[in-house]
Amino acid sequence: MPKKKRKFKTEVQQLLDLVIHSLYSNPDIFLRELISNASDAIDRARFEALSNKNIQEPEGSWKIKIHADKDGKTLTLSDNGIGMTSEELEANIGTIANSGTRAFLDELSKGDAKNNPELIGQFGVGFYSAFMVADKVSVCTRRAGSESTATRWESTGNGAYTLEDIEKDTFGTDIILHLKEDQEKYLEEWTIREIVTKFSDYVAFPIVMDITREVPVEKKDEGDEASTETVSEVSEETLNSMKAIWTRTPSEVDKGDYGEFYKAQFKDYTEPAEIIHYRAEGTLEFNALLYIPAKAPYNMMYDREDHGVQLYVKRVFIMNNCQDLLPTYLRFMKGVVDSSDLPLNVSREILQEDLLIRKIRSNLVKRVLNTLKDMQEKEPDRYATFFREFGRVLKEGLHSDFENKEKLQDLLMFESSKTDAGAYTSLADYVNNMHPDQKAIYYISGESRATVESSPLLEAFQARKYDVLFLTDPVDEIVIPSVQTYREKPLEAVHQGEVNLDTEEEKEEKKEGREKAAEDFKDLTELLQSQLEEDVKEVRISERLTDSACCLVADKQGMDPYMERMMAAMGNAVPTTKRILEINPGHQLLPVMRELAQKGEEDARLKDFADLLYEQALIAEGSPPKDPANVARLISELMLVDGKQQLN
Ligand code: ADP
């Protein structure tokens, strides 16, 4: 065939102009694109070799070779894969076949691309990306397994290309890039090495390069004087590790290899706590290798950007932190997802809307949650350790992932009045161990186990041996409202509304006593209410206290004090809602106060007592006292009175 000159299809030229003239955000990716094409070509050759005896593994194995010619200023990528006939060459490289490029051109036709040079970087453009760094590109190729001769395609990216027959001994494709003057860094060994390890480390075939090293040799002169000089030695070196363990069958992977890969890939010193490795097959095909780290990073609660798995397409690195593959509440997970159904040039913007990505994500989430459930059931101690590290983040899922709400509820763990400090119960265990008369799942919230554990609000529950969950994680306050009920049992705060644990009969039985108490203490309650009117909404007789003299409770709608303090700490203007002071008629202090009131004891003293009653209710629930100096003064006075009495 004589040398033929052809014109590019308009759309190709349009694309080329953009590649050449627009600022590309990352020109390095040309190498990724060409290596990926070469790897595909080898895959196809190996596949055809199964049924075509004329195709055989080349001597020296299947490989991709990079050669930098510093004098000629060319970079050549050679593969010994399938190659192309001249017809194929013309069809593949003269027109636009790939879908990513099409999407790009569609976008282009909307007129956005020209105003937005970054856009081109979002698509990537396969073979044409070579023109980002080269002002002339030659493709020399010979189709494997056929009689056809070799062809050279050549273009400066300027409207036209040429095709001609050439001599080529071996099957496969050489792509020769005549580098632009300002792109000569791509001739440097370390630049190439760096790009290959970043994007193509796990490509399944060796990517080799001739490395020239100066080696010292001893030389004996005529006068027998030894001297050293250096000579250049060229050796072929493989640049990529090829160890994509996620593509291997799980049963064949050594446990230690999983750990090594994790530590190297995700820069952790500790072994992962859990490994999830599987291959999805069927309508959805991908490999996933996920890890749960052993320890939470210090900034886990706030860092919502730097997370997500690494995305590969057919072993070619696409991006770190692909957030679209895992929801934020699983941001502690590390790992790799490799899909062969995605185009190489997929962008973050495309990913967000990609249906396939959404399906993969939903599949990954299910796997992770099932693994956790399994661990919770079979290895509770290990699960508790996991939950201590990552529970706070996992809980956020209750707010955002309605599809998996039930699974997430099952995975919750809480300390409770019946667990030892540091030990947990799940909601399922709580419900299974519930007293037959118990109607709800009860909880109390506060800063720490120590504050909630000694709260007077627990007395009635302890008297009945009911368990109360301790919500000591700030996130719980936000999470609980989204649970509301678990296995048809409502979740109720012990510090809200009128908790009455009595059965109907018990209520009936106690009715008389209660009415009597209300009557007996009517004057005192009214007095206290008027004296404390600045601080409380109401004073009433309590039905939940057994030991303490008093406690503060919120209205059914009221915000609980812990939440109020948290909001205030975060700098929010919190409307102070007055609460209800409940007093315990069974406590000895109450009749004494009543008698003092009846005796017409001076008002000042009674006011002091009322204040102390209110202050001790605050202290008991873990809130700071309203007037600490006054509390201290009153206690000293009372100690003095009591002390003197003891001495008499
Ligand atoms: P894509 O790889 O996304 O299809 P490209 O523009 O990179 O788009 O390549 C177009 C086509 O050219 C490929 O689909 C393939 O058929 C062919 N091709 C590119 N590089 C090679 C190669 N090294 N060996 C054989 N065929 C190739």
Side-chain angles (χ1 to χ4, degrees), residues 313-390:
V313 169
K314 290 196 252 177
R315 294 169 157 237
V316 174
F317 174 76
I318 305 299
M319 66 177 81
N320 267 320
N321 305 336
C322 180
Q323 298 178 6
D324 300 294
L325 282 172
L326 280 178
T328 19
Y329 74 86
L330 294 180
R331 61 180 174 276
F332 53 86
M333 301 287 306
K334 304 267 179 239
V336 171
V337 171
D338 192 333
S339 152
S340 42
D341 299 333
L342 285 168
L344 258 194
N345 42 31
V346 69
S347 70
R348 284 194 192 274
E349 286 68 18
I350 292 177
L351 283 176
Q352 268 168 17
E353 281 145 37
D354 195 277
L355 195 65
L356 181 70
I357 288 285
R358 254 182 272 167
K359 284 185 182 160
I360 297 178
R361 168 186 161 125
S362 146
N363 186 297
L364 295 175
V365 171
K366 289 223 160 58
R367 275 288 174 142
V368 174
L369 298 185
N370 289 347
T371 305
L372 290 174
K373 186 99 188 48
D374 232 42
M375 201 201 284
Q376 186 189 30
E377 281 163 11
K378 294 181 190 142
E379 299 168 282
D381 289 345
R382 226 154 69 74
Y383 183 71
T385 309
F386 157 79
F387 198 81
R388 227 166 270 130
E389 289 296 319
F390 302 108

Coordinates of all heavy atoms in Angstrom, one line a residue, residues 313-390:
V313 N -10.2 0.3 37.6 CA -10.9 -0.3 36.5 C -10.0 -1.2 35.8 O -8.9 -0.8 35.4 CB -11.4 0.8 35.5 CG1 -12.0 0.1 34.3 CG2 -12.5 1.6 36.2
K314 N -10.3 -2.5 35.9 CA -9.4 -3.5 35.3 C -7.9 -3.3 35.8 O -7.0 -3.2 35.0 CB -9.5 -3.5 33.8 CG -10.8 -4.0 33.3 CD -10.7 -4.4 31.8 CE -11.5 -3.4 31.0 NZ -11.5 -3.6 29.6
R315 N -7.8 -3.2 37.1 CA -6.4 -3.1 37.7 C -5.7 -1.8 37.5 O -4.6 -1.6 37.9 CB -5.5 -4.2 37.2 CG -5.9 -5.6 37.6 CD -5.1 -6.6 36.9 NE -5.0 -7.9 37.6 CZ -3.9 -8.5 37.9 NH1 -2.7 -7.9 37.7 NH2 -3.9 -9.6 38.5
V316 N -6.4 -0.9 36.8 CA -5.8 0.4 36.5 C -6.3 1.4 37.6 O -7.6 1.5 37.7 CB -6.1 0.9 35.1 CG1 -5.5 2.4 34.9 CG2 -5.4 0.0 34.1
F317 N -5.4 2.1 38.2 CA -5.8 3.0 39.3 C -6.6 4.2 38.7 O -6.2 4.8 37.8 CB -4.6 3.5 40.0 CG -4.9 4.6 41.0 CD1 -5.5 4.2 42.3 CD2 -4.6 5.9 40.8 CE1 -5.7 5.2 43.2 CE2 -4.9 6.9 41.7 CZ -5.5 6.5 42.9
I318 N -7.8 4.4 39.3 CA -8.6 5.6 38.8 C -8.6 6.7 39.8 O -8.3 7.8 39.5 CB -10.1 5.1 38.5 CG1 -10.1 4.0 37.5 CG2 -10.9 6.3 38.0 CD1 -9.5 4.3 36.2
M319 N -8.9 6.4 41.1 CA -8.8 7.4 42.1 C -8.8 6.9 43.5 O -9.2 5.8 43.8 CB -10.0 8.3 42.0 CG -11.4 7.7 42.3 SD -12.7 8.8 42.2 CE -13.0 8.9 40.4
N320 N -8.3 7.7 44.4 CA -8.3 7.5 45.8 C -9.6 8.0 46.4 O -10.3 8.8 45.7 CB -7.2 8.3 46.5 CG -6.0 7.5 46.6 OD1 -6.0 6.3 46.9 ND2 -4.8 8.1 46.4
N321 N -10.0 7.6 47.6 CA -11.1 8.2 48.2 C -12.4 8.3 47.4 O -12.9 9.4 47.2 CB -10.8 9.6 48.8 CG -9.6 9.6 49.7 OD1 -9.3 8.5 50.3 ND2 -8.9 10.7 49.8
C322 N -12.8 7.3 46.7 CA -14.0 7.3 45.9 C -15.2 7.3 46.9 O -15.6 6.3 47.4 CB -14.0 6.2 45.0 SG -15.5 6.2 43.9
Q323 N -15.7 8.5 47.2 CA -16.7 8.6 48.2 C -18.0 8.1 47.8 O -18.9 7.8 48.6 CB -16.8 10.0 48.7 CG -15.5 10.6 49.3 CD -15.6 12.0 49.7 OE1 -16.7 12.6 49.6 NE2 -14.5 12.6 50.1
D324 N -18.2 7.9 46.5 CA -19.5 7.5 46.0 C -19.7 6.0 46.3 O -20.8 5.5 46.1 CB -19.7 7.8 44.6 CG -19.6 9.3 44.3 OD1 -20.5 10.0 44.8 OD2 -18.6 9.7 43.7
L325 N -18.6 5.3 46.6 CA -18.8 3.8 46.8 C -19.1 3.4 48.2 O -19.5 2.3 48.5 CB -17.5 3.1 46.4 CG -17.3 3.0 44.8 CD1 -16.0 2.5 44.5 CD2 -18.4 2.1 44.3
L326 N -19.0 4.3 49.2 CA -19.4 4.0 50.5 C -20.0 5.3 51.2 O -19.5 6.4 51.0 CB -18.2 3.6 51.4 CG -17.7 2.1 51.2 CD1 -16.4 1.9 52.1 CD2 -18.7 1.1 51.6
P327 N -21.0 5.1 52.0 CA -21.7 6.2 52.6 C -20.7 6.8 53.7 O -19.8 6.1 54.2 CB -22.9 5.7 53.3 CG -22.6 4.2 53.4 CD -21.7 3.8 52.3
T328 N -21.0 8.0 54.1 CA -20.1 8.7 55.1 C -20.0 7.9 56.4 O -19.0 7.9 57.1 CB -20.5 10.1 55.5 OG1 -21.8 10.3 55.1 CG2 -19.6 11.1 54.8
Y329 N -21.1 7.2 56.8 CA -21.1 6.6 58.1 C -20.2 5.3 58.0 O -20.0 4.7 59.1 CB -22.5 6.3 58.6 CG -23.3 5.2 57.9 CD1 -23.1 3.8 58.3 CD2 -24.1 5.4 56.8 CE1 -23.8 2.8 57.7 CE2 -24.8 4.4 56.2 CZ -24.6 3.1 56.6 OH -25.3 2.1 56.0
L330 N -19.7 4.9 56.9 CA -18.7 3.9 56.8 C -17.4 4.4 56.4 O -16.5 3.8 55.8 CB -19.2 2.8 55.8 CG -20.4 2.0 56.2 CD1 -20.7 1.0 55.1 CD2 -20.2 1.3 57.5
R331 N -17.1 5.7 56.8 CA -15.9 6.3 56.3 C -14.7 5.8 57.0 O -13.6 6.1 56.6 CB -16.0 7.9 56.6 CG -16.1 8.3 58.0 CD -16.2 9.8 58.0 NE -16.5 10.4 59.3 CZ -17.7 10.5 59.8 NH1 -18.8 10.2 59.1 NH2 -17.9 11.0 61.0
F332 N -14.8 4.9 57.9 CA -13.6 4.3 58.5 C -13.1 3.1 57.7 O -12.0 2.7 57.9 CB -13.9 3.8 60.0 CG -15.2 2.9 60.0 CD1 -15.1 1.6 59.8 CD2 -16.4 3.5 60.3 CE1 -16.2 0.7 59.8 CE2 -17.5 2.7 60.3 CZ -17.4 1.3 60.1
M333 N -13.9 2.7 56.7 CA -13.5 1.5 55.9 C -12.4 1.9 55.0 O -12.3 3.0 54.4 CB -14.6 1.0 55.1 CG -15.8 0.5 55.9 SD -15.6 -1.0 56.7 CE -15.1 -2.1 55.5
K334 N -11.4 1.0 54.7 CA -10.4 1.2 53.7 C -10.6 0.1 52.7 O -11.1 -1.0 53.0 CB -9.0 1.1 54.3 CG -8.8 2.1 55.4 CD -8.2 3.3 54.9 CE -7.9 4.3 56.0 NZ -8.6 5.6 55.7
G335 N -10.1 0.2 51.5 CA -10.1 -0.9 50.6 C -10.0 -0.5 49.1 O -9.8 0.7 48.7
V336 N -10.2 -1.5 48.3 CA -10.1 -1.4 46.8 C -11.4 -2.0 46.2 O -11.8 -3.0 46.6 CB -8.9 -2.1 46.3 CG1 -8.9 -2.2 44.8 CG2 -7.6 -1.6 46.9
V337 N -11.9 -1.3 45.2 CA -13.0 -1.8 44.4 C -12.5 -1.7 43.0 O -12.0 -0.7 42.5 CB -14.3 -1.0 44.6 CG1 -15.3 -1.5 43.6 CG2 -14.8 -1.3 46.0
D338 N -12.6 -2.9 42.3 CA -12.2 -2.9 40.9 C -13.3 -3.4 40.0 O -13.8 -4.5 40.2 CB -11.0 -3.9 40.8 CG -10.3 -3.8 39.5 OD1 -10.9 -3.4 38.5 OD2 -9.1 -4.2 39.5
S339 N -13.7 -2.5 39.1 CA -14.8 -2.9 38.3 C -14.4 -2.9 36.8 O -13.6 -2.1 36.4 CB -16.0 -1.9 38.4 OG -16.7 -1.8 37.2
S340 N -14.8 -3.9 36.1 CA -14.4 -3.9 34.7 C -15.5 -3.3 33.8 O -15.3 -3.1 32.6 CB -14.1 -5.4 34.2 OG -15.1 -6.2 34.7
D341 N -16.6 -2.9 34.4 CA -17.7 -2.4 33.6 C -17.7 -0.8 33.5 O -18.4 -0.3 32.7 CB -19.1 -2.7 34.3 CG -19.3 -4.2 34.3 OD1 -18.7 -4.9 33.4 OD2 -20.0 -4.7 35.2
L342 N -16.8 -0.2 34.2 CA -16.7 1.2 34.2 C -15.6 1.6 33.1 O -14.7 0.9 32.9 CB -16.3 1.8 35.5 CG -17.3 1.8 36.6 CD1 -16.6 2.1 37.9 CD2 -18.4 2.9 36.3
P343 N -15.9 2.8 32.5 CA -14.8 3.3 31.6 C -13.6 3.8 32.3 O -13.8 4.3 33.5 CB -15.5 4.4 30.8 CG -16.6 4.8 31.7 CD -17.0 3.6 32.5
L344 N -12.4 3.7 31.8 CA -11.2 4.2 32.4 C -11.3 5.7 32.8 O -10.8 6.2 33.8 CB -10.1 4.1 31.5 CG -9.1 3.0 31.6 CD1 -7.8 3.3 30.8 CD2 -8.7 2.8 33.1
N345 N -12.0 6.4 31.9 CA -12.0 7.8 32.0 C -13.2 8.4 32.8 O -13.6 9.5 32.6 CB -11.9 8.5 30.7 CG -12.8 7.8 29.7 OD1 -13.8 7.3 30.1 ND2 -12.4 7.8 28.4
V346 N -13.6 7.6 33.7 CA -14.8 8.0 34.5 C -14.3 9.1 35.5 O -13.2 9.1 35.9 CB -15.3 6.8 35.3 CG1 -14.4 6.3 36.4 CG2 -16.7 7.0 35.8
S347 N -15.2 10.1 35.6 CA -14.8 11.2 36.5 C -15.7 11.2 37.8 O -16.7 10.5 37.8 CB -15.1 12.5 35.8 OG -16.5 12.7 35.7
R348 N -15.3 12.0 38.7 CA -16.0 12.1 40.0 C -17.5 12.5 39.7 O -18.4 12.1 40.3 CB -15.4 13.1 40.9 CG -14.2 12.5 41.6 CD -13.7 13.3 42.8 NE -12.4 12.9 43.2 CZ -12.2 11.9 44.1 NH1 -13.2 11.2 44.6 NH2 -10.9 11.5 44.4
E349 N -17.6 13.5 38.7 CA -18.9 14.0 38.4 C -19.8 12.9 37.8 O -21.0 12.8 38.1 CB -18.8 15.2 37.4 CG -18.3 16.5 38.0 CD -16.9 16.4 38.5 OE1 -16.1 15.5 38.0 OE2 -16.4 17.3 39.3
I350 N -19.2 12.1 37.0 CA -20.0 11.0 36.3 C -20.4 10.0 37.4 O -21.5 9.5 37.4 CB -19.2 10.4 35.2 CG1 -19.1 11.4 34.0 CG2 -19.9 9.1 34.7 CD1 -18.2 10.9 32.9
L351 N -19.4 9.7 38.3 CA -19.6 8.7 39.3 C -20.9 9.0 40.1 O -21.6 8.1 40.5 CB -18.4 8.6 40.2 CG -17.2 7.9 39.7 CD1 -16.1 7.9 40.7 CD2 -17.5 6.4 39.4
Q352 N -21.0 10.3 40.5 CA -22.1 10.6 41.3 C -23.5 10.2 40.8 O -24.4 9.9 41.5 CB -22.1 12.1 41.5 CG -21.3 12.5 42.8 CD -21.1 14.0 42.8 OE1 -21.8 14.8 42.1 NE2 -20.1 14.4 43.6
E353 N -23.6 10.2 39.5 CA -24.8 9.9 38.9 C -24.9 8.5 38.3 O -25.9 8.1 37.8 CB -25.2 10.9 37.8 CG -25.6 12.2 38.4 CD -25.2 13.4 37.6 OE1 -25.1 13.3 36.3 OE2 -24.8 14.4 38.2
D354 N -23.8 7.8 38.4 CA -23.7 6.5 37.7 C -24.6 5.4 38.5 O -24.4 5.2 39.7 CB -22.3 6.1 37.6 CG -22.1 5.0 36.6 OD1 -22.3 3.8 37.0 OD2 -21.8 5.3 35.5
L355 N -25.4 4.8 37.7 CA -26.3 3.8 38.3 C -25.5 2.6 38.8 O -25.8 2.0 39.8 CB -27.3 3.4 37.2 CG -28.5 2.6 37.8 CD1 -29.4 3.5 38.7 CD2 -29.4 2.1 36.6
L356 N -24.5 2.2 38.0 CA -23.7 1.1 38.3 C -23.0 1.3 39.7 O -22.9 0.4 40.5 CB -22.7 0.9 37.2 CG -21.7 -0.3 37.4 CD1 -22.5 -1.6 37.2 CD2 -20.6 -0.2 36.4
I357 N -22.4 2.5 39.8 CA -21.8 2.8 41.1 C -22.7 2.7 42.2 O -22.4 2.2 43.3 CB -21.2 4.3 41.0 CG1 -20.0 4.3 40.0 CG2 -20.8 4.8 42.4 CD1 -18.7 3.7 40.6
R358 N -23.9 3.2 42.0 CA -24.9 3.1 43.1 C -25.2 1.7 43.5 O -25.4 1.3 44.7 CB -26.2 3.8 42.7 CG -26.3 5.2 43.4 CD -27.6 5.9 43.1 NE -27.4 6.7 41.9 CZ -28.4 7.2 41.2 NH1 -29.7 7.0 41.6 NH2 -28.2 8.0 40.2
K359 N -25.3 0.8 42.5 CA -25.5 -0.6 42.8 C -24.3 -1.2 43.5 O -24.5 -2.0 44.4 CB -25.8 -1.4 41.4 CG -27.1 -1.1 40.9 CD -27.4 -2.0 39.7 CE -28.7 -1.7 39.1 NZ -28.8 -2.2 37.7
I360 N -23.1 -0.9 43.1 CA -22.0 -1.4 43.7 C -22.0 -1.0 45.2 O -21.8 -1.8 46.1 CB -20.6 -1.0 43.1 CG1 -20.6 -1.5 41.6 CG2 -19.4 -1.5 43.9 CD1 -19.3 -1.1 40.8
R361 N -22.3 0.3 45.4 CA -22.3 0.8 46.7 C -23.3 0.1 47.6 O -23.0 -0.3 48.8 CB -22.6 2.3 46.6 CG -23.0 3.0 47.9 CD -23.4 4.4 47.6 NE -24.2 5.0 48.7 CZ -23.8 6.2 49.2 NH1 -22.8 6.8 48.8 NH2 -24.5 6.7 50.2
S362 N -24.5 -0.1 47.1 CA -25.5 -0.8 47.9 C -25.0 -2.2 48.3 O -25.2 -2.7 49.4 CB -26.8 -0.7 47.2 OG -27.6 -1.8 47.4
N363 N -24.4 -2.8 47.3 CA -23.9 -4.2 47.5 C -22.8 -4.2 48.6 O -22.7 -5.0 49.5 CB -23.3 -4.7 46.2 CG -22.9 -6.1 46.2 OD1 -22.0 -6.5 47.0 ND2 -23.5 -7.0 45.5
L364 N -21.9 -3.2 48.5 CA -20.8 -3.1 49.5 C -21.3 -2.8 50.9 O -20.9 -3.5 51.9 CB -19.8 -2.0 49.2 CG -19.0 -2.1 47.9 CD1 -18.2 -0.8 47.6 CD2 -18.1 -3.2 47.9
V365 N -22.3 -1.9 51.0 CA -22.9 -1.6 52.3 C -23.5 -2.9 52.9 O -23.3 -3.2 54.1 CB -23.9 -0.5 52.2 CG1 -24.7 -0.3 53.5 CG2 -23.3 0.8 51.8
K366 N -24.2 -3.6 52.1 CA -24.9 -4.8 52.7 C -23.8 -5.8 53.2 O -23.9 -6.4 54.3 CB -25.7 -5.5 51.6 CG -26.9 -4.7 51.2 CD -28.1 -5.6 51.0 CE -29.4 -4.8 51.2 NZ -29.5 -3.7 50.2
R367 N -22.7 -6.0 52.4 CA -21.7 -6.9 52.8 C -21.0 -6.4 54.2 O -20.8 -7.2 55.1 CB -20.5 -6.9 51.8 CG -20.7 -7.8 50.7 CD -20.6 -9.3 51.2 NE -20.9 -10.1 50.1 CZ -20.3 -11.3 49.8 NH1 -19.3 -11.7 50.6 NH2 -20.6 -12.0 48.8
V368 N -20.8 -5.1 54.3 CA -20.1 -4.6 55.5 C -21.0 -4.8 56.7 O -20.6 -5.4 57.7 CB -19.7 -3.1 55.3 CG1 -19.2 -2.6 56.7 CG2 -18.7 -2.9 54.2
L369 N -22.3 -4.5 56.5 CA -23.2 -4.6 57.7 C -23.4 -6.1 58.0 O -23.5 -6.4 59.2 CB -24.6 -3.9 57.3 CG -24.5 -2.4 57.1 CD1 -25.9 -1.8 56.9 CD2 -23.8 -1.7 58.2
N370 N -23.5 -6.9 57.0 CA -23.7 -8.4 57.4 C -22.4 -8.9 58.1 O -22.6 -9.7 59.0 CB -23.9 -9.2 56.1 CG -25.3 -8.9 55.5 OD1 -26.1 -8.3 56.2 ND2 -25.5 -9.3 54.3
T371 N -21.3 -8.5 57.7 CA -20.0 -8.9 58.3 C -20.0 -8.5 59.8 O -19.7 -9.2 60.7 CB -18.8 -8.3 57.6 OG1 -18.9 -8.7 56.2 CG2 -17.5 -8.8 58.2
L372 N -20.5 -7.2 60.0 CA -20.5 -6.7 61.4 C -21.5 -7.5 62.2 O -21.3 -7.8 63.4 CB -20.9 -5.2 61.4 CG -19.8 -4.3 60.8 CD1 -20.3 -2.9 60.7 CD2 -18.5 -4.4 61.7
K373 N -22.7 -7.8 61.6 CA -23.7 -8.5 62.3 C -23.2 -9.9 62.7 O -23.4 -10.4 63.9 CB -24.9 -8.7 61.4 CG -26.1 -9.3 62.0 CD -27.1 -8.2 62.4 CE -28.3 -8.6 63.3 NZ -28.1 -9.5 64.4
D374 N -22.5 -10.5 61.8 CA -21.9 -11.8 62.1 C -20.9 -11.8 63.2 O -20.9 -12.6 64.1 CB -21.1 -12.2 60.8 CG -21.5 -13.6 60.3 OD1 -22.7 -13.9 60.4 OD2 -20.6 -14.3 60.0
M375 N -20.1 -10.7 63.2 CA -19.1 -10.6 64.3 C -19.8 -10.3 65.6 O -19.4 -10.9 66.6 CB -18.2 -9.4 63.9 CG -16.9 -9.3 64.6 SD -16.2 -7.7 64.7 CE -15.6 -7.5 63.0
Q376 N -20.8 -9.5 65.6 CA -21.6 -9.2 66.8 C -22.2 -10.5 67.4 O -22.1 -10.7 68.6 CB -22.7 -8.3 66.4 CG -23.5 -7.7 67.6 CD -24.7 -7.0 67.1 OE1 -25.3 -7.3 66.1 NE2 -25.1 -5.9 67.9
E377 N -22.6 -11.4 66.6 CA -23.3 -12.6 67.1 C -22.2 -13.7 67.5 O -22.4 -14.3 68.5 CB -24.2 -13.3 66.0 CG -25.5 -12.6 65.9 CD -26.2 -12.9 64.6 OE1 -25.8 -13.8 63.9 OE2 -27.2 -12.2 64.3
K378 N -21.2 -13.8 66.7 CA -20.2 -14.9 66.9 C -19.0 -14.5 67.8 O -18.4 -15.3 68.4 CB -19.8 -15.5 65.6 CG -20.9 -16.1 64.8 CD -20.4 -16.7 63.5 CE -21.6 -17.2 62.7 NZ -21.4 -16.9 61.3
E379 N -18.6 -13.2 67.7 CA -17.5 -12.8 68.4 C -17.8 -11.5 69.1 O -17.2 -10.4 68.8 CB -16.3 -12.6 67.5 CG -15.9 -13.9 66.8 CD -14.9 -13.6 65.6 OE1 -15.3 -13.1 64.6 OE2 -13.7 -13.8 65.9
P380 N -18.6 -11.6 70.1 CA -19.1 -10.3 70.8 C -17.9 -9.4 71.3 O -18.0 -8.2 71.3 CB -20.0 -10.8 71.9 CG -19.8 -12.3 72.0 CD -19.2 -12.8 70.7
D381 N -16.9 -10.1 71.8 CA -15.8 -9.2 72.3 C -15.1 -8.4 71.2 O -14.8 -7.2 71.4 CB -14.7 -10.1 73.0 CG -15.3 -10.7 74.3 OD1 -16.3 -10.1 74.8 OD2 -14.7 -11.6 74.9
R382 N -14.9 -9.1 70.1 CA -14.3 -8.4 69.0 C -15.2 -7.3 68.5 O -14.7 -6.2 68.1 CB -14.0 -9.4 67.9 CG -12.6 -9.3 67.3 CD -12.1 -10.6 66.7 NE -12.8 -10.9 65.5 CZ -12.6 -10.3 64.3 NH1 -11.8 -9.3 64.2 NH2 -13.3 -10.7 63.3
Y383 N -16.5 -7.6 68.5 CA -17.4 -6.6 68.0 C -17.4 -5.4 68.9 O -17.5 -4.2 68.5 CB -18.8 -7.2 67.9 CG -19.8 -6.1 67.3 CD1 -19.7 -5.8 66.0 CD2 -20.7 -5.5 68.1 CE1 -20.5 -4.8 65.4 CE2 -21.5 -4.5 67.6 CZ -21.4 -4.2 66.3 OH -22.2 -3.2 65.7
A384 N -17.4 -5.7 70.2 CA -17.4 -4.6 71.2 C -16.1 -3.7 71.0 O -16.2 -2.4 71.0 CB -17.3 -5.1 72.6
T385 N -15.0 -4.3 70.7 CA -13.8 -3.5 70.4 C -14.0 -2.6 69.2 O -13.7 -1.5 69.1 CB -12.6 -4.4 70.2 OG1 -12.5 -5.3 71.2 CG2 -11.3 -3.7 70.0
F386 N -14.6 -3.3 68.1 CA -14.9 -2.5 66.9 C -15.8 -1.3 67.3 O -15.6 -0.2 66.9 CB -15.6 -3.4 65.9 CG -16.4 -2.6 64.9 CD1 -15.8 -2.0 63.8 CD2 -17.8 -2.5 65.1 CE1 -16.6 -1.2 63.0 CE2 -18.6 -1.7 64.2 CZ -17.9 -1.1 63.1
F387 N -16.9 -1.6 68.0 CA -17.9 -0.6 68.3 C -17.3 0.6 69.1 O -17.7 1.7 68.9 CB -19.1 -1.2 69.0 CG -20.3 -0.3 68.9 CD1 -21.1 -0.3 67.8 CD2 -20.6 0.5 70.0 CE1 -22.2 0.5 67.7 CE2 -21.8 1.3 69.9 CZ -22.5 1.3 68.8
R388 N -16.4 0.2 70.0 CA -15.8 1.3 70.8 C -15.0 2.2 69.9 O -15.0 3.4 70.1 CB -14.8 0.6 71.8 CG -14.9 1.1 73.2 CD -14.2 0.3 74.2 NE -15.1 -0.8 74.7 CZ -14.8 -2.1 74.8 NH1 -13.7 -2.5 74.4 NH2 -15.7 -2.9 75.3
E389 N -14.4 1.7 68.9 CA -13.6 2.5 68.0 C -14.5 3.3 67.0 O -14.3 4.5 66.7 CB -12.6 1.7 67.1 CG -11.5 1.1 67.9 CD -10.6 2.2 68.5 OE1 -10.3 3.2 67.7 OE2 -10.1 2.1 69.6
F390 N -15.5 2.6 66.4 CA -16.2 3.2 65.2 C -17.7 3.3 65.4 O -18.4 3.8 64.5 CB -15.9 2.3 64.0 CG -14.4 2.2 63.7 CD1 -13.8 1.0 63.9 CD2 -13.8 3.3 63.2 CE1 -12.4 0.9 63.6 CE2 -12.4 3.2 62.9 CZ -11.7 2.0 63.1

